[in-house]
Amino acid sequence: MKISILLFEKMAAQDAVGPYEVFRCVPGWEVELVGERIGEVRAEGGLGLLADRALDEVDETDAVLVPGGRGSEAMAANAAVLDWLRRVDERTRWTISVCTGAEILGAAGLLEGKRATSNWLFLDRLPGYGAEPVGGRWVEDGKTITAAGVTAGIDMALHLVDREAGPEVAQAVQLGIEYDPDPPFDSGSPEKAPRAIVEAVTAASRASRA
């Protein structure tokens, strides 16, 4: 398996790094980081990540992964990126997004008629791309897999390893990276978090969009 992860300015680093850590642990799998050009990109908060391949160097891949983050709106309007996604999607076995990366896939026309998910704060945008928004940590529809917000990318990546390499390999990878979530609060989704917290986060998100 060759997996190409798109990097861009103001992306959410964990959207890419979480799945990367899963995929790189699978024997025989190759993971490459792709950007509009070779070199450093700055994720949200300023973390630097390095794209070692440019878009025009990657015409074919088994799986393409698109992260989300604040920079996703710019990518959803970037003709070069959207053209590249449409081109590689013609040959991928899997086309994947994490968080608001779903909007980039949608802008490329790759979610039309599909069930999909995204960060819960942005699910209402998916119908605008012809997608049916659904909940859950990830949604598989054909060869397209969309994951919910940020950490859901790890769950989705383990699911893909299971689909391609089997449950034993997926479980071995999960154990190897000691992915055993035990957060101090059970507030990781709007269904579980206290109402006041949900309202505060929703208000902050709307203010940020404005």
Side-chain angles (χ1 to χ4, degrees):
M1 281 280 289
K2 176 184 174 184
I3 299 177
S4 303
I5 300 178
L6 178 66
L7 301 184
F8 53 86
E9 294 291 324
K10 296 183 180 179
M11 59 178 279
Q14 179 68 21
D15 288 3
V17 174
Y20 171 87
E21 191 64 26
V22 171
F23 296 147
R24 77 170 187 86
C25 292
V26 182
W29 285 25
E30 173 190 354
V31 186
E32 62 181 8
L33 304 178
V34 183
E36 287 190 83
R37 59 193 64 82
I38 294 173
E40 186 179 70
V41 300
R42 290 284 176 176
E44 292 179 347
L47 179 66
L49 298 170
L50 190 66
D52 47 27
R53 303 288 300 280
L55 298 183
D56 59 7
E57 297 178 319
V58 180
D59 291 321
E60 187 172 353
T61 187
D62 295 309
V64 60
L65 185 148
V66 182
R70 293 185 182 276
S72 59
E73 288 190 20
M75 288 299 100
N78 187 314
V81 169
L82 301 182
D83 286 345
W84 177 75
L85 284 172
R86 285 188 284 264
R87 186 169 70 250
V88 296
D89 176 73
E90 292 178 358
R91 299 184 181 182
T92 58
R93 291 163 63 174
W94 300 100
T95 295
I96 307 162
S97 68
V98 180
C99 196
T100 54
E103 293 189 48
I104 304 174
L105 292 186
L110 302 179
L111 293 185
E112 184 72 35
K114 293 183 178 289
R115 298 166 64 251
T117 193
S118 180
N119 183 294
W120 65 274
L121 288 161
F122 298 90
L123 280 173
D124 59 347
R125 295 185 176 185
L126 295 182
Y129 301 109
E132 176 189 349
V134 296
R137 295 288 279 175
W138 76 85
V139 175
E140 179 180 333
D141 190 332
K143 70 171 187 176
T144 303
I145 308 178
T146 51
V150 191
T151 59
I154 298 175
D155 296 356
M156 175 276 299
L158 288 168
H159 168 69
L160 182 60
V161 174
D162 176 23
R163 296 279 277 116
E164 283 290 330
E168 292 83 4
V169 175
Q171 290 175 78
V173 170
Q174 181 176 352
L175 178 59
I177 64 175
E178 203 168 348
Y179 180 54
D180 187 22
D182 186 19
F185 304 103
D186 191 18
S187 59
S189 75
E191 293 78 23
K192 297 177 180 179
R195 183 172 182 83
I197 299 298
V198 174
E199 291 174 351
V201 172
T202 300
S205 175
R206 287 174 178 167
S208 177
R209 292 192 220 182

